[in-house]
Amino acid sequence: MAGDKPNLRWGVEQKLQFIEFRLFWEGHVNRSDLIEQFGVSPNQASGDLNRYIALAPDNMVYDKSGKTYVRSSGFIPLFLKPDATSYLSQVRSVAEGIVASHDSWIGSLPAFDAPPAPARGVDPKILRTIVIAARRKEAVEILYQSMASPEPQWRWVAPHALAFDGFRWHARSFCEKSGEFRDFVVSRVIEARHTRPSSSSPLSDAAWHEMVALEIGPHPDLSPNQKRVIELDYGMHEGRVTITVRRALLYYALRRLGLDTDPAARAPQDQQIVLLNGESVRELGA
């Protein structure tokens, strides 16, 4: 029976995890899967399957008619903790061309689509300059087009982190012009040129380091059955779930969750969730 996980070399464990991934998500695995994924010989692939059987004999059986190993009814993961979020991320990444199919462990990709989002024109050279400046704790001079000014302006910023709001990439940076830590949309950086040592410290970015707890619950005007399904959607326990976010990203989090407006402005079936600790969150200026 599958029991305590043995200590194995990384390469060996990777192949055993792959076998288990295919068994859990697709119900079967065979020698050709290992050959294709890892480029091993047929004999090596057979050896890996036999090793898995020896360590977890109750997890798969050989189906002679299908000429493949199939997941047994007593299957208990030993090398891999199945994770739905990770699997769905692989589906999306492969389907959108972010990850090549051979770099994913999914053998048969389910049909997938999502609402289209405009491509963000991030210049790789500008991104490289920002990343290197953050790593070296330097300031970089950028030509930035803000929405507060009709024309782009040169300014010195000291980036220290990247952030994604679900739609755009930001460089969290100290702005020497304003004397504040701000978010700069990377795709709005038109040009980057000089760099120099920065005197600002990322530790001084209080909004980045302060974490805010958002208490989320189902809309109170939903029916009991509707509330239960919302609890399942968001992984709630006893009608609530806590989502932790950096204060610097609080605005984006509330907007993405649809909690940036008065919940009474929408029908309960459209709003679905409410912020249970809204008063304390509003005190933070969100």
Side-chain angles (χ1 to χ4, degrees):
M1 292 182 64
D4 294 335
K5 179 180 172 182
N7 292 320
L8 299 165
R9 296 195 312 275
W10 180 83
V12 173
E13 187 166 348
Q14 278 285 101
K15 287 180 280 188
L16 298 179
Q17 288 178 354
F18 172 80
I19 292 170
E20 206 154 80
F21 181 94
R22 287 290 178 90
L23 287 173
F24 182 86
W25 290 109
E26 303 188 16
H28 58 86
V29 65
N30 56 42
R31 192 172 62 173
S32 63
D33 295 329
L34 288 158
I35 295 171
E36 181 178 346
Q37 187 68 36
F38 296 99
V40 297
S41 67
N43 286 341
Q44 180 62 60
S46 296
D48 291 325
L49 289 166
N50 289 332
R51 180 181 288 109
Y52 185 84
I53 292 172
L55 294 169
D58 296 331
N59 278 2
M60 69 180 187
V61 295
Y62 187 69
D63 178 5
K64 293 182 180 179
S65 61
K67 296 182 179 180
T68 187
Y69 289 93
V70 298
R71 183 182 63 238
S72 68
S73 59
F75 177 86
I76 300 175
L78 177 61
F79 300 96
L80 185 76
K81 183 178 180 180
D83 182 80
T85 300
S86 175
Y87 180 84
L88 293 173
S89 294
Q90 284 195 51
V91 170
R92 179 179 178 183
S93 296
V94 173
E96 294 183 351
I98 298 171
V99 173
S101 58
H102 59 78
D103 290 328
S104 167
W105 284 3
I106 299 175
S108 179
L109 192 73
F112 169 84
D113 205 349
R120 290 288 163 180
V122 176
D123 186 313
K125 293 183 179 179
I126 288 175
L127 177 61
R128 180 185 63 187
T129 299
I130 291 172
V131 170
I132 291 175
R135 185 183 303 127
R136 295 177 177 175
K137 297 180 173 56
E138 294 178 333
V140 58
E141 191 178 19
I142 62 173
L143 182 62
Y144 187 74
Q145 179 63 70
S146 73
M147 292 297 102
S149 173
E151 299 294 332
Q153 298 178 345
W154 286 100
R155 65 179 74 199
W156 283 91
V157 300
H160 71 85
L162 295 175
F164 185 63
D165 66 5
F167 193 55
R168 300 176 300 192
W169 282 96
H170 302 254
R172 183 68 179 177
S173 312
F174 179 77
C175 176
E176 294 186 5
K177 180 180 179 181
S178 66
E180 300 175 341
F181 284 96
R182 293 185 173 182
D183 299 330
F184 291 89
V185 180
V186 179
S187 58
R188 294 179 185 171
V189 179
I190 299 171
E191 189 177 343
R193 52 187 187 190
H194 308 300
T195 61
R196 68 186 182 196
S198 173
S199 59
S200 68
S201 170
L203 296 177
S204 299
D205 190 354
W208 179 262
H209 295 288
E210 180 183 348
M211 307 304 292
V212 179
L214 304 179
E215 296 286 342
I216 309 297
H219 195 291
D221 293 334
L222 292 175
S223 72
N225 286 333
Q226 289 172 331
K227 288 180 181 177
R228 278 194 288 271
V229 78
I230 294 301
E231 290 176 3
L232 290 172
D233 280 347
Y234 290 86
M236 297 180 184
H237 179 66
E238 296 182 351
R240 67 175 57 219
V241 66
T242 300
I243 300 175
T244 304
V245 61
R246 296 181 188 276
R247 181 159 62 87
L249 304 180
L250 180 58
Y251 167 78
Y252 308 119
L254 293 176
R255 185 175 63 178
R256 191 173 187 183
L257 291 167
L259 297 170
D260 56 335
T261 58
D262 183 355
R266 304 171 67 195
Q269 291 77 13
D270 295 327
Q271 180 62 33
Q272 299 183 2
I273 59 173
V274 295
L275 192 58
L276 302 178
N277 61 336
E279 183 174 346
S280 63
V281 171
R282 282 190 291 271
E283 290 177 355
L284 296 173

